[in-house]
Amino acid sequence: MGRVHLEAVRRVGTVDVAAIVGRRADAAQNLATAFGVERTETDYRRILEDKSIDAVHVCTPNSQHAPISLDALQAGKHVLCEKPLTTSSAEARKMVELARSSKLRNCTCHNLRYYPMVQHMRRMREDGDLGEILVVQGTYSQDWLLYDTDWNWRTDTAANGPMRAMADIGSHWCDMAEHVTGQRIISVSADLQTFHKTRKQPKGSVETFTGKTLAPTDYTETAIDTDDFGSVIFHMTPRARGAFTASQVSSGRKNMLNIEIYGTKGAVSWNQERPDELWIGNRNTNNEVIVKDPSLLKEKARSYADVPGGHGEGYPDTFKQVFRRFYASITDPSAAPEYPEFSDGLRQLEILDAELESHKGRRWVDIK
Amino acid sequence: MGRVHLEAVRRVGTVDVAAIVGRRADAAQNLATAFGVERTETDYRRILEDKSIDAVHVCTPNSQHAPISLDALQAGKHVLCEKPLTTSSAEARKMVELARSSKLRNCTCHNLRYYPMVQHMRRMREDGDLGEILVVQGTYSQDWLLYDTDWNWRTDTAANGPMRAMADIGSHWCDMAEHVTGQRIISVSADLQTFHKTRKQPKGSVETFTGKTLAPTDYTETAIDTDDFGSVIFHMTPRARGAFTASQVSSGRKNMLNIEIYGTKGAVSWNQERPDELWIGNRNTNNEVIVKDPSLLKEKARSYADVPGGHGEGYPDTFKQVFRRFYASITDPSAAPEYPEFSDGLRQLEILDAELESHKGRRWVDIK
Amino acid sequence: MGRVHLEAVRRVGTVDVAAIVGRRADAAQNLATAFGVERTETDYRRILEDKSIDAVHVCTPNSQHAPISLDALQAGKHVLCEKPLTTSSAEARKMVELARSSKLRNCTCHNLRYYPMVQHMRRMREDGDLGEILVVQGTYSQDWLLYDTDWNWRTDTAANGPMRAMADIGSHWCDMAEHVTGQRIISVSADLQTFHKTRKQPKGSVETFTGKTLAPTDYTETAIDTDDFGSVIFHMTPRARGAFTASQVSSGRKNMLNIEIYGTKGAVSWNQERPDELWIGNRNTNNEVIVKDPSLLKEKARSYADVPGGHGEGYPDTFKQVFRRFYASITDPSAAPEYPEFSDGLRQLEILDAELESHKGRRWVDIK
Amino acid sequence: MGRVHLEAVRRVGTVDVAAIVGRRADAAQNLATAFGVERTETDYRRILEDKSIDAVHVCTPNSQHAPISLDALQAGKHVLCEKPLTTSSAEARKMVELARSSKLRNCTCHNLRYYPMVQHMRRMREDGDLGEILVVQGTYSQDWLLYDTDWNWRTDTAANGPMRAMADIGSHWCDMAEHVTGQRIISVSADLQTFHKTRKQPKGSVETFTGKTLAPTDYTETAIDTDDFGSVIFHMTPRARGAFTASQVSSGRKNMLNIEIYGTKGAVSWNQERPDELWIGNRNTNNEVIVKDPSLLKEKARSYADVPGGHGEGYPDTFKQVFRRFYASITDPSAAPEYPEFSDGLRQLEILDAELESHKGRRWVDIK
């Protein structure tokens, strides 16, 4: 994620990157050279002492999110943290509290909200174009952990936390479902499955998604207890119903977040693999398909699209959109946060808690 | 369904339609005139007495399926019955038993199995192209009962039975999932929702799917207790997992049965709204898309396609394929039935029983 | 085509098939047995003498269309003839004249007009939904003659006539372009290419489209002078412009007739490989996509769809629609012909003449 | 284009933006503020005098490309110029010559080559995966100039040059066709059409693509002689054939560059509106569809994709890819230019010359 964050920060235009922190000095130095950053550190505390630095991005494995973010807030830095916010809702609650009391800007990087068409869906719902929401369904399916030779720090519970597919991508799906519908998932029946009870752990380190191109070499057979796949049926307030699955073992799906929202007046369907398209389902008139075009977007969604109609915006652009808003809110302390805060990250951990409890008890669990 | 059956029977080539039975004499006569059929009756028993008639098609509302089929078997007729086979598994069990003891041909019209690409998926699985099945997911979504002014005999529990969306279309989905994977759904957690607690029942009769073009006239406000929507998560033997929804209130979806099957070696995805296409998902090589072409079909699937590559075959053709095989098995008593029998219809009712029990108890229910 | 015609005739419901004529007695007999037809002949003249026969279908190689059709008209039979109508416009003109003077029903089987969505496009244009037509473009691309080992009677100029891809499928494209727009192609610049100057002709006979599944056996190296591919740019009245290609050597395209029509108010795009879908292009509002649904079709297009929304109708159904209208016009002599007549077949031959002349002269050629 | 260039330059990481030149001081200053650039000028000559500046980007209307680029080369600057390179091939030839003699880096910004899937197509062709190329066809269609109230500097011949749709977007299509196939268009028959002989020119200035959102105010009725639409059929060496259209009046098409390349072994089809997908057409095996995934790309195409499989890269990313290579070649004078040079821009102007001559003479014209 380091490179994606660095490029996106530079696109904001008015932000300077002061330093890069990495556990491995050489990796940090390489990145700094590639992006013309002057300072690197291996201990993040050195950075927190620097008064000239306003904000930090936390892009580490999940288990480091809470300690670093808490230290950063304590040091008076604004914090943008990757998702899932932490590996437990208890820790997340601490982060939310400290952020609130310190009055510092805090962002959970649920960047997928920032596709122009996702914002257009949200604004359609706000304007009542969908009517009352009845059904929300979909999936987040990938295939990069299909084989037992696939490995990533996320397969390691210590670095990742107790849930994997559901936390890494299922939480993106739920965040989008709640963000777009404006409703809350209130009760779940969930089922998790670990297809590979052991995986072959390479002895070196592996960058996310690059495992596919590795040759088999030196492996340790390692026990796995996190989920490869999960399925959930749920209730939303007041009477909407839904279902979704999250999978890292679905052959041929590279990054398919698909969400379908059906209301009494109309429906929308969106797929991250074709991010600039939106399907709108109608009962008594033709269905519609939008190819992203600023002139066709809801006025409140227009600022999320920077290039003309039919000129694709992709995954890197979502980060630019988050960061632009995050830094604007630092410059203007009176601005409302137009991005997911730590409290949104906590919300996803509470849903994950309920899913795990439901799975273990084979019963429905309510989310407070 | 009358017209669809009549056309398809005539396409078989070697079958004559001897008579049409309908409760309304004029409707039966109109159909007979349109298709050059000489005899009509309003009482099906008259037909069962006719020794020159070999087989009957039962295309009535669900609640009549069992009594007519049982009488027909008793009268020595081969029986092809629409799905769901009955409104209760107890009745269905009787039909299965009588069919077995009478050694007559019996078919539950799960015609959707008969799309060429569905057979191709099945044969891919049989040949091991998918490896071990891990995940099965999808939906059967329609919009023709979205409004409370939409009405059909299926919204009437007496004619339809206790489950609606799940029985009418959910059962198609489960039949396809089991037929294609060769595995059994063994445990379900299901959730049903009736969004319209009352519907406006027109005083006249309404043909299926034509309600959309009706003008509002004379209605009775009628209480509804059957499901508009259902969602299910399930286990399959030995360790596959899955999820599906069935909906008759999903705006913009006219007849979208979507099924995705993910295995350790590859995946398939098929959508009834584009029946001649099949998506094949691969992890380490390009995904594939087939436009139906006999030269690309598995050899055992080839007889399900009658026209050349890229020349679309649709819903009416599936009936021709079922009927052709049903009548061939009557001509050749030694032939194995290459179509769903009453026992397949019973199977779906057992799944429906489990879904209803799960919904009511908010718990997982096993299927024996 | 024999089987496709036979099934479709039987679906009309009120038409009996009296006899099948084939040059090979055994093939005719097999077909007759499969469809319960009592009489077969090897000489079509025997059929023409039979007073009880009202109409004949001409489904032979192109070079036999004219002699048989002329004899049939002379014998007082209504004639439905496959396309292209003949191998020369001179012959076609004779057929048109004899049909006119004899006042018999005559149909050129441009069945592709009969997809429900094609009729919907036509009715949209008639209702002014597209505004003034500006641009018409597309292709008819197939791959069944890609290799020099692919053979069919159409590659033989004697049986086929002087143009192949342009006549066999290009004429379908132009017929559709003119039918849907209601305008005429008035001037063309065309370019033809024969990629395989010789092909390996099998010594036995080959049914259309089945060559793909043949094993190489006994071949004759045969010179080919008909087109594998053609490209055309054209003018339509009053000021529309367009372009299309026709190809039988386009790898992966099984039967892709794609047509896009752009007007001042809106656009439509249709692809035969997804026949039940229509894309509607708008400038200032969302684009639209229709999945065929009778309730969404223009009223005048509704009778071309027999099954409900999302229930696919395909290539076989187009024949049923043509034949139904052809036979209705025989029953009712006052009925206007709702199908392409011989004059429409002649029209396509005149365009083909102009294309060939343009290609040879490397210049624009006007069509009178 | 200013913002797109600025963001993309900053993403390169190692390049500083020294100054922004604009005819309007306030516009330049706004841009400079947004991107943290310290210097602005209204006269580009001031910048050329600055020894600390290595390279300039020319993003003006077409008519200014040549004078500025020539001055910049004369001043010893490396030059990256937007396309079309100039408004006449004579000027372009001068630019090519000066660039060659000065040994400075020169780039024509045909950025569309830089989509990962376009590079993958190119590498497939280089590896022989397509066999011999037979047919190349497609379109570049947009709708932003559909109405006579749509206006842009490109509709003004003085600023734009004598050809509009063909030069602005048709040249992108031809550049891609030649780049991917490695072949040359050698002969064309072209037809141009100006549907709007006059347009309503607003009295203020209009940014490209934003006209759609303007309200009608104060207009001058202005005569237009550039093409709204053009269609071309062509020959490529040695025997490939093709056709394409370019249109700025095609309702519903926002930015659809579609290119289809058919060879003796396989085919590819790509559409800029879904840039991360590629269709591969096969005759005897299933067709394929790639969702961009570095692990599936040809090794030589892999460096054009920066984010993982299924994570979309779009239009802004193509600029980053061009600029990264342009600046790398400045740093390393021995590096081969991995980007289109001025000579590639000149090539497109020669094709445009031939198209215009063909249109005027209604005849085929060869390109030397």
Side-chain angles (χ1 to χ4, degrees):
Chain A
M1 298 305 282
R3 289 180 169 274
V4 170
H5 275 245
L6 279 163
E7 278 194 17
V9 165
R10 289 184 62 94
R11 293 170 81 180
V12 172
T14 53
V15 182
D16 288 322
V17 181
I20 294 173
V21 182
R23 271 186 304 188
R24 297 213 327 257
D26 56 340
Q29 188 51 56
N30 287 342
L31 213 50
T33 304
F35 285 90
V37 177
E38 289 183 10
R39 180 175 175 193
T40 64
E41 296 288 349
T42 54
D43 182 349
Y44 70 85
R45 288 174 199 86
R46 301 289 308 278
I47 295 299
L48 300 184
E49 293 157 6
D50 185 337
K51 301 286 181 208
S52 72
I53 288 173
D54 297 308
V56 300
H57 289 225
V58 183
C59 312
T60 62
N62 304 342
S63 58
Q64 300 303 305
H65 288 181
I68 298 177
S69 295
L70 289 167
D71 284 352
L73 289 168
Q74 216 90 51
K77 307 301 181 199
H78 305 287
V79 180
L80 184 149
C81 183
E82 268 298 335
K83 39 59 50 189
L85 186 59
T86 63
T87 58
S88 80
S89 52
E91 275 182 329
R93 224 162 270 127
K94 277 188 220 158
M95 291 168 72
V96 170
E97 280 156 24
L98 183 55
R100 267 189 200 144
S101 62
S102 65
K103 302 199 174 171
L104 290 160
R105 295 298 187 176
N106 57 99
C107 173
T108 309
C109 195
H110 275 295
N111 62 302
L112 305 191
R113 293 185 183 184
Y114 286 79
Y115 286 106
M117 301 320 291
V118 172
Q119 286 303 313
H120 186 68
M121 286 196 284
R122 172 190 167 202
R123 302 308 184 172
M124 286 182 66
R125 184 268 306 164
E126 287 178 359
D127 288 355
D129 298 358
L130 305 180
E132 184 201 343
I133 305 300
L134 302 178
V135 174
V136 184
Q137 63 191 29
T139 188
Y140 201 150
S141 294
Q142 301 177 328
D143 70 3
W144 65 294
L145 295 174
L146 173 59
Y147 303 139
D148 69 353
T149 48
D150 297 321
W151 185 267
N152 179 263
W153 61 258
R154 288 179 181 79
T155 47
D156 170 13
T157 305
N160 175 81
M163 295 178 85
R164 183 172 19 102
M166 296 306 284
D168 187 31
I169 55 179
S171 71
H172 267 309
W173 196 93
C174 292
D175 180 71
M176 191 173 290
E178 294 196 338
H179 179 65
V180 173
T181 64
Q183 297 186 7
R184 290 294 175 121
I185 295 171
I186 54 166
S187 192
V188 296
S189 174
D191 186 42
L192 308 178
Q193 174 70 310
T194 304
F195 289 110
H196 295 300
K197 306 298 186 199
T198 63
R199 286 180 177 264
K200 298 182 191 331
Q201 177 174 14
K203 302 205 166 159
S205 90
V206 180
E207 203 178 328
T208 301
F209 275 103
T210 64
K212 290 181 185 179
T213 53
L214 290 182
T217 48
D218 229 4
Y219 289 112
T220 310
E221 197 80 22
T222 304
I224 301 292
D225 59 4
T226 51
D227 46 301
D228 294 316
F229 172 81
S231 57
V232 182
I233 53 179
F234 60 83
H235 289 196
M236 289 185 113
T237 319
R239 56 183 193 141
R241 297 293 180 260
F244 79 96
T245 62
S247 171
Q248 293 171 328
V249 294
S250 292
S251 191
R253 302 302 185 186
K254 304 312 166 189
N255 196 32
M256 186 179 78
L257 189 168
N258 175 250
I259 188 164
E260 306 179 358
I261 301 170
Y262 297 97
T264 52
K265 289 192 185 165
V268 285
S269 173
W270 180 81
N271 177 354
Q272 186 178 214
E273 288 187 353
R274 290 177 175 171
D276 265 6
E277 293 183 31
L278 183 67
W279 178 91
I280 299 173
N282 298 311
R283 159 53 196 271
N284 283 348
T285 57
N286 297 339
N287 292 336
E288 296 158 70
V289 177
I290 313 184
V291 173
K292 185 217 68 186
D293 185 331
S295 75
L296 297 174
L297 294 180
K298 292 277 184 187
E299 204 180 327
K300 286 187 176 173
R302 221 171 267 168
S303 71
Y304 295 80
D306 278 6
V307 289
H311 293 69
E313 287 173 90
Y315 182 78
D317 302 280
T318 62
F319 288 89
K320 176 182 71 175
Q321 297 290 347
V322 186
F323 296 174
R324 182 185 286 172
R325 285 163 177 79
F326 178 69
Y327 284 104
S329 79
I330 291 175
T331 310
D332 174 7
S334 70
E338 295 185 350
Y339 45 83
E341 297 189 279
F342 283 180
S343 54
D344 297 87
L346 166 60
R347 167 79 192 148
Q348 289 312 314
L349 286 157
E350 289 170 342
I351 295 175
L352 288 167
D353 283 353
E355 289 164 348
L356 190 55
E357 189 185 336
S358 169
H359 166 68
K360 287 183 174 164
R362 279 174 75 79
R363 60 182 184 80
W364 284 81
V365 172
D366 293 339
I367 300 157
K368 51 245 102 176
Chain B
M1 298 304 284
R3 288 178 171 274
V4 170
H5 275 246
L6 279 164
E7 277 194 17
V9 165
R10 288 183 62 95
R11 294 170 80 179
V12 173
T14 53
V15 182
D16 288 323
V17 180
I20 294 172
V21 183
R23 271 187 301 187
R24 298 214 325 259
D26 55 341
Q29 188 51 56
N30 287 342
L31 213 50
T33 305
F35 285 90
V37 177
E38 289 181 10
R39 182 177 173 190
T40 65
E41 296 289 349
T42 54
D43 182 348
Y44 71 86
R45 289 175 198 85
R46 300 287 308 277
I47 295 299
L48 300 184
E49 293 157 6
D50 185 337
K51 301 288 179 206
S52 73
I53 288 173
D54 297 309
V56 300
H57 289 225
V58 183
C59 312
T60 62
N62 304 342
S63 59
Q64 299 302 305
H65 288 180
I68 298 177
S69 296
L70 289 167
D71 284 351
L73 289 168
Q74 215 92 49
K77 307 301 182 200
H78 306 287
V79 181
L80 184 150
C81 183
E82 267 299 334
K83 41 56 53 188
L85 186 60
T86 63
T87 57
S88 80
S89 54
E91 275 182 327
R93 224 162 270 125
K94 276 188 220 157
M95 290 168 71
V96 169
E97 280 156 25
L98 184 55
R100 264 184 202 148
S101 63
S102 64
K103 304 202 172 170
L104 290 161
R105 294 299 186 176
N106 57 98
C107 173
T108 309
C109 195
H110 275 295
N111 62 302
L112 304 191
R113 293 185 183 183
Y114 285 79
Y115 286 107
M117 301 321 290
V118 173
Q119 285 304 313
H120 186 67
M121 285 195 283
R122 172 190 168 201
R123 301 309 183 171
M124 285 180 68
R125 185 268 306 167
E126 286 178 358
D127 288 356
D129 297 359
L130 305 180
E132 185 201 343
I133 305 299
L134 302 178
V135 174
V136 184
Q137 64 190 27
T139 188
Y140 201 149
S141 294
Q142 302 177 328
D143 70 3
W144 64 294
L145 295 174
L146 173 59
Y147 302 139
D148 69 353
T149 48
D150 297 321
W151 184 267
N152 179 264
W153 61 259
R154 287 180 181 81
T155 46
D156 170 13
T157 305
N160 174 82
M163 294 177 86
R164 182 171 21 102
M166 296 306 285
D168 187 31
I169 55 179
S171 71
H172 267 310
W173 195 93
C174 291
D175 180 72
M176 191 172 289
E178 295 196 338
H179 179 66
V180 172
T181 64
Q183 296 187 7
R184 292 294 175 120
I185 295 171
I186 54 166
S187 193
V188 295
S189 174
D191 186 41
L192 308 178
Q193 173 71 306
T194 304
F195 289 110
H196 296 300
K197 306 298 187 200
T198 63
R199 285 179 179 264
K200 298 181 192 326
Q201 178 174 14
K203 301 204 168 163
S205 90
V206 180
E207 205 177 326
T208 301
F209 276 102
T210 64
K212 289 182 187 178
T213 54
L214 289 182
T217 48
D218 227 5
Y219 290 112
T220 310
E221 197 80 22
T222 303
I224 301 293
D225 59 3
T226 53
D227 46 300
D228 294 317
F229 172 82
S231 58
V232 181
I233 53 179
F234 59 83
H235 289 194
M236 288 187 114
T237 322
R239 57 182 190 140
R241 296 294 180 261
F244 79 96
T245 62
S247 171
Q248 293 171 329
V249 294
S250 291
S251 190
R253 302 303 185 185
K254 305 312 167 185
N255 197 31
M256 186 180 77
L257 189 169
N258 176 250
I259 188 165
E260 306 178 359
I261 302 170
Y262 297 95
T264 52
K265 289 191 185 167
V268 286
S269 173
W270 180 81
N271 176 354
Q272 187 179 215
E273 288 188 353
R274 289 178 175 170
D276 265 6
E277 293 183 30
L278 183 68
W279 177 91
I280 299 172
N282 299 312
R283 159 54 197 269
N284 282 348
T285 57
N286 296 340
N287 292 336
E288 296 158 71
V289 177
I290 313 183
V291 173
K292 185 216 72 185
D293 185 330
S295 75
L296 297 174
L297 293 179
K298 292 278 183 183
E299 203 179 329
K300 286 186 176 173
R302 222 171 267 170
S303 71
Y304 295 79
D306 278 7
V307 288
H311 294 68
E313 288 174 89
Y315 182 77
D317 301 279
T318 62
F319 288 89
K320 176 181 73 174
Q321 297 290 347
V322 186
F323 297 175
R324 183 185 285 171
R325 285 164 177 78
F326 177 69
Y327 285 104
S329 79
I330 291 174
T331 310
D332 174 6
S334 70
E338 295 185 350
Y339 46 84
E341 296 189 280
F342 283 0
S343 54
D344 297 88
L346 167 59
R347 167 78 191 148
Q348 289 313 313
L349 286 157
E350 290 169 342
I351 295 175
L352 289 167
D353 284 353
E355 289 164 348
L356 190 55
E357 190 184 335
S358 169
H359 166 67
K360 287 181 174 165
R362 279 174 74 81
R363 59 181 185 82
W364 284 81
V365 172
D366 293 338
I367 300 157
K368 49 244 107 176
Chain C
M1 299 302 283
R3 289 180 169 274
V4 170
H5 275 245
L6 279 164
E7 278 194 16
V9 165
R10 287 184 63 96
R11 294 170 80 180
V12 173
T14 53
V15 182
D16 288 322
V17 180
I20 294 173
V21 183
R23 270 187 303 188
R24 297 211 329 256
D26 56 340
Q29 189 50 57
N30 287 342
L31 213 50
T33 304
F35 285 90
V37 177
E38 289 183 9
R39 181 177 174 193
T40 64
E41 296 289 349
T42 55
D43 182 348
Y44 70 85
R45 288 175 199 85
R46 300 291 305 279
I47 296 299
L48 300 185
E49 290 157 9
D50 185 338
K51 300 287 179 206
S52 72
I53 289 174
D54 296 309
V56 300
H57 289 224
V58 183
C59 312
T60 63
N62 304 342
S63 59
Q64 300 302 305
H65 288 180
I68 297 176
S69 295
L70 289 167
D71 284 352
L73 288 169
Q74 215 91 49
K77 308 301 183 201
H78 306 287
V79 180
L80 184 150
C81 183
E82 268 299 337
K83 41 58 48 189
L85 187 59
T86 63
T87 58
S88 80
S89 54
E91 275 182 327
R93 224 161 271 127
K94 276 188 220 159
M95 291 168 71
V96 169
E97 279 156 25
L98 184 55
R100 265 184 201 150
S101 62
S102 65
K103 303 201 172 169
L104 289 160
R105 295 298 188 177
N106 57 98
C107 172
T108 309
C109 195
H110 276 295
N111 62 302
L112 305 191
R113 292 186 184 183
Y114 285 79
Y115 285 106
M117 302 320 291
V118 172
Q119 286 303 313
H120 186 67
M121 285 196 283
R122 173 189 166 202
R123 301 309 185 171
M124 287 181 67
R125 185 267 306 164
E126 286 179 359
D127 288 357
D129 298 359
L130 306 180
E132 186 202 341
I133 305 299
L134 302 177
V135 173
V136 184
Q137 64 191 28
T139 188
Y140 200 148
S141 294
Q142 302 176 329
D143 70 2
W144 64 294
L145 295 174
L146 173 59
Y147 301 140
D148 69 352
T149 48
D150 296 321
W151 184 267
N152 178 264
W153 62 259
R154 286 179 181 81
T155 47
D156 170 11
T157 307
N160 175 82
M163 294 177 86
R164 184 175 16 104
M166 296 305 284
D168 187 31
I169 55 179
S171 71
H172 267 310
W173 195 93
C174 291
D175 180 72
M176 191 173 288
E178 295 196 338
H179 179 65
V180 173
T181 64
Q183 297 187 6
R184 291 294 175 120
I185 295 171
I186 55 166
S187 193
V188 295
S189 175
D191 186 43
L192 308 178
Q193 174 71 308
T194 304
F195 290 111
H196 295 300
K197 306 299 186 199
T198 64
R199 285 179 179 265
K200 297 181 191 332
Q201 177 174 14
K203 301 206 169 161
S205 89
V206 181
E207 205 179 326
T208 302
F209 275 103
T210 64
K212 290 181 185 179
T213 53
L214 289 181
T217 47
D218 227 3
Y219 289 112
T220 310
E221 196 81 21
T222 303
I224 301 293
D225 59 4
T226 51
D227 46 301
D228 294 316
F229 172 81
S231 57
V232 182
I233 53 179
F234 59 84
H235 289 195
M236 289 186 115
T237 319
R239 56 181 192 143
R241 297 293 181 260
F244 79 96
T245 62
S247 171
Q248 293 171 328
V249 294
S250 290
S251 192
R253 302 302 185 187
K254 305 311 168 190
N255 196 32
M256 186 179 77
L257 189 167
N258 176 251
I259 188 164
E260 305 178 359
I261 301 170
Y262 297 96
T264 52
K265 289 192 185 165
V268 285
S269 173
W270 179 82
N271 176 355
Q272 187 179 215
E273 289 187 353
R274 289 176 173 172
D276 265 6
E277 293 184 28
L278 182 68
W279 177 92
I280 298 172
N282 299 312
R283 159 54 196 271
N284 282 349
T285 56
N286 296 341
N287 291 337
E288 296 158 69
V289 176
I290 314 183
V291 173
K292 185 217 69 184
D293 185 330
S295 75
L296 297 174
L297 293 180
K298 291 278 183 184
E299 203 179 329
K300 286 187 176 172
R302 223 171 266 170
S303 70
Y304 295 80
D306 278 7
V307 288
H311 294 68
E313 288 174 88
Y315 182 77
D317 301 280
T318 61
F319 287 90
K320 176 181 73 173
Q321 297 290 347
V322 186
F323 297 174
R324 183 184 285 172
R325 285 163 177 78
F326 178 68
Y327 285 104
S329 79
I330 290 175
T331 309
D332 174 6
S334 71
E338 294 185 350
Y339 46 82
E341 297 189 280
F342 283 1
S343 54
D344 296 88
L346 168 58
R347 168 79 192 148
Q348 289 312 314
L349 286 157
E350 289 169 342
I351 295 175
L352 288 167
D353 283 353
E355 289 164 348
L356 190 55
E357 191 185 332
S358 169
H359 167 67
K360 287 183 175 164
R362 280 176 74 79
R363 61 183 183 80
W364 285 81
V365 172
D366 293 338
I367 300 157
K368 50 243 105 181
Chain D
M1 299 303 284
R3 288 179 171 275
V4 170
H5 275 246
L6 279 165
E7 278 194 16
V9 165
R10 288 184 63 95
R11 293 171 81 181
V12 173
T14 52
V15 182
D16 289 322
V17 181
I20 293 173
V21 183
R23 271 187 301 188
R24 299 211 326 256
D26 56 341
Q29 188 51 56
N30 288 342
L31 213 49
T33 305
F35 285 90
V37 178
E38 290 183 8
R39 180 177 175 192
T40 64
E41 295 289 348
T42 54
D43 181 348
Y44 69 85
R45 287 175 199 86
R46 301 289 308 277
I47 295 299
L48 300 185
E49 291 158 6
D50 184 337
K51 300 286 180 206
S52 72
I53 288 173
D54 297 308
V56 300
H57 289 225
V58 183
C59 312
T60 62
N62 305 341
S63 58
Q64 300 302 306
H65 289 180
I68 298 176
S69 294
L70 289 168
D71 283 352
L73 288 168
Q74 215 91 52
K77 308 301 183 200
H78 306 286
V79 180
L80 185 150
C81 183
E82 268 298 336
K83 41 57 52 190
L85 187 58
T86 63
T87 58
S88 80
S89 53
E91 276 182 327
R93 224 161 272 127
K94 275 189 222 157
M95 291 168 71
V96 170
E97 278 156 25
L98 184 54
R100 266 188 200 143
S101 63
S102 64
K103 302 198 174 170
L104 290 161
R105 294 299 186 176
N106 57 100
C107 173
T108 309
C109 195
H110 276 294
N111 62 302
L112 305 190
R113 291 184 184 184
Y114 285 79
Y115 286 106
M117 302 320 290
V118 172
Q119 285 304 312
H120 187 67
M121 286 196 282
R122 172 189 166 201
R123 301 310 184 171
M124 286 181 67
R125 186 267 307 166
E126 287 178 358
D127 288 357
D129 298 359
L130 306 180
E132 185 201 342
I133 305 299
L134 302 177
V135 173
V136 184
Q137 64 191 27
T139 188
Y140 201 148
S141 294
Q142 302 176 328
D143 71 2
W144 64 295
L145 295 174
L146 173 59
Y147 302 139
D148 69 352
T149 48
D150 297 322
W151 185 266
N152 179 265
W153 61 260
R154 287 179 181 81
T155 47
D156 170 12
T157 306
N160 175 81
M163 295 178 86
R164 182 171 21 101
M166 296 306 284
D168 187 31
I169 54 179
S171 71
H172 267 311
W173 196 93
C174 291
D175 181 71
M176 191 173 288
E178 294 195 338
H179 179 65
V180 173
T181 65
Q183 296 187 8
R184 291 294 175 119
I185 294 171
I186 55 166
S187 193
V188 295
S189 175
D191 186 41
L192 308 178
Q193 174 70 309
T194 304
F195 289 110
H196 296 301
K197 306 299 185 198
T198 63
R199 286 179 179 264
K200 297 182 194 327
Q201 178 174 13
K203 299 204 169 163
S205 91
V206 180
E207 205 178 325
T208 302
F209 275 102
T210 64
K212 290 182 185 179
T213 53
L214 289 183
T217 48
D218 227 6
Y219 288 114
T220 310
E221 196 81 21
T222 303
I224 301 293
D225 59 2
T226 52
D227 47 299
D228 293 316
F229 172 81
S231 57
V232 182
I233 53 180
F234 60 83
H235 289 194
M236 290 186 113
T237 319
R239 57 183 191 139
R241 297 291 180 262
F244 79 97
T245 62
S247 172
Q248 293 170 328
V249 294
S250 291
S251 191
R253 301 303 185 186
K254 304 311 167 189
N255 197 31
M256 185 178 77
L257 189 168
N258 175 249
I259 188 164
E260 306 179 357
I261 301 171
Y262 297 96
T264 52
K265 289 190 184 166
V268 285
S269 174
W270 180 81
N271 177 354
Q272 188 180 214
E273 289 187 352
R274 290 178 174 170
D276 264 6
E277 293 184 30
L278 183 67
W279 177 91
I280 298 173
N282 298 312
R283 158 55 196 270
N284 283 348
T285 56
N286 297 340
N287 292 336
E288 296 157 70
V289 177
I290 314 183
V291 173
K292 184 217 71 184
D293 185 330
S295 76
L296 298 173
L297 293 180
K298 291 278 183 184
E299 204 179 327
K300 287 186 175 171
R302 221 170 267 169
S303 70
Y304 296 79
D306 278 8
V307 289
H311 294 68
E313 288 173 89
Y315 182 77
D317 301 280
T318 61
F319 288 89
K320 176 181 72 175
Q321 296 290 346
V322 186
F323 297 174
R324 182 185 285 171
R325 285 163 178 78
F326 178 68
Y327 285 103
S329 78
I330 290 175
T331 309
D332 174 6
S334 70
E338 294 185 351
Y339 46 82
E341 297 189 277
F342 283 180
S343 54
D344 296 88
L346 167 59
R347 168 78 192 149
Q348 290 311 315
L349 286 158
E350 289 169 342
I351 295 174
L352 288 167
D353 283 352
E355 288 165 349
L356 190 56
E357 190 184 335
S358 169
H359 167 67
K360 288 183 174 164
R362 280 174 74 79
R363 60 182 184 81
W364 285 81
V365 172
D366 294 338
I367 299 157
K368 49 246 107 174

